[in-house]
Amino acid sequence: MFSLEFMQTAFIASGIVAIICGLVGYFLLIRREAFAGHALSHVGFAGATGASLVGVSPFLGLLVFSLGAGGLIGAIGPKLKDRDIAIGLVLSTSMGLGLLFLHFYTRYASQVTGLLFGNIFAVDTQTLYGLIILSLVCCAVMLFFMRPLLFASLQPDLAEAKGVSLRRVSILFLGLVACVTAACVQVTGILLTFSLMVGPAAVARQLSTTVWKGVFLSIFLAIAEAWGGIIIAWITDYPVSFWISLLSFVVYLFSLLISRKVSLIRK
């Protein structure tokens, strides 16, 4: 299995995507924007199908639409009370566009399936290089504004009083989420992106006592679930996306049991 070139590429690509998903996903939960991550993946579907119709790379269309939607959501709803409204409006509009594009896209059923559910074994060298560049950019941006992001996420009112622009932080962060979503589609597809981005982060948030421990645990779990999904898919010949999403769900349930047992012991 590990001697095959396409398997090596699959492990490298999924590992790269898992790292940025674990990193960004943890902050997505801290900021209570899990719905935004879910919405951006569906927005990307409209961009990908629309780009294919005009003969442009689906990945490019997905990235552009996701970035645009992320910036729009961040600009409309930097505060929690406005965020869900902004996300809902952008999501419904993009789903309508996706439905329209899909109406003209029915001849390419196999490509639509690949967009919806992903195909990590189809990642080529050029795509892998693109994922590496995208992940490096995402990590660099995260490191650049980590402190204001944490401040604005944990104490938004105080951060705003200190001069931190909540709107600017929201736009930048959701733009970052859009990039990660576009990368994740290569592994899990549009419909299952939520599982790899939010599942490990949710477990890490429950089991960790500090932000940094949570971030590292989230990244570790994301890598383990991505690689575990590939290995099980190789053995069973079932889709990788199915196994990744199932592992994410099982690990989350297991973390809930651990948390409840710990709570009972402390009482």
Side-chain angles (χ1 to χ4, degrees), residues 15-30:
I16 291 170
V17 170
I19 290 172
I20 55 177
C21 277
L23 175 62
V24 174
Y26 189 80
F27 286 93
L28 197 66
L29 292 189
I30 289 179

Side-chain angles (χ1 to χ4, degrees), residues 7-75:
M7 288 297 293
Q8 295 172 6
T9 303
F11 275 105
I12 295 172
S14 60
I16 291 170
V17 170
I19 290 172
I20 55 177
C21 277
L23 175 62
V24 174
Y26 189 80
F27 286 93
L28 197 66
L29 292 189
I30 289 179
R31 292 178 58 80
R32 290 179 287 179
E33 291 181 336
F35 184 35
H38 175 70
L40 288 177
S41 63
H42 288 73
V43 170
F45 177 66
T49 52
S52 298
L53 284 175
V54 297
V56 182
S57 168
F59 180 77
L60 180 61
L62 189 153
L63 181 60
V64 170
F65 262 59
S66 297
L67 280 171
L72 185 60
I73 292 171

Side-chain angles (χ1 to χ4, degrees), residues 66-198:
S66 297
L67 280 171
L72 185 60
I73 292 171
I76 294 176
K79 293 186 177 181
L80 185 62
K81 63 179 181 180
D82 303 319
R83 198 177 297 149
D84 287 345
I85 298 174
I87 293 170
L89 289 173
V90 172
L91 176 60
S92 59
T93 303
S94 63
M95 290 300 291
L97 282 174
L99 180 62
L100 175 64
F101 295 150
L102 190 59
H103 174 74
F104 299 106
Y105 199 65
T106 52
R107 291 183 301 168
Y108 307 98
S110 60
Q111 294 184 34
V112 172
T113 302
L115 288 172
L116 291 176
F117 300 103
N119 187 3
I120 188 62
F121 296 133
V123 174
D124 55 19
T125 304
Q126 184 178 359
T127 304
L128 180 61
Y129 288 150
L131 288 176
I132 292 173
I133 294 172
L134 188 60
S135 65
L136 289 175
V137 171
C138 290
C139 289
V141 172
M142 280 295 292
L143 290 174
F144 176 74
F145 86 123
M146 182 77 75
R147 293 186 66 181
L149 176 63
L150 267 176
F151 194 17
S153 301
L154 299 177
Q155 294 180 308
D157 293 333
L158 181 59
E160 191 171 30
K162 292 289 186 179
V164 176
S165 173
L166 298 184
R167 189 179 303 275
R168 188 177 304 165
V169 169
S170 182
I171 291 173
L172 187 56
F173 179 70
L174 287 176
L176 195 62
V177 174
C179 292
V180 175
T181 300
C184 195
V185 165
Q186 304 289 323
V187 179
T188 57
I190 288 168
L191 294 181
L192 302 177
T193 294
F194 192 78
S195 61
L196 190 59
M197 188 179 297
V198 175

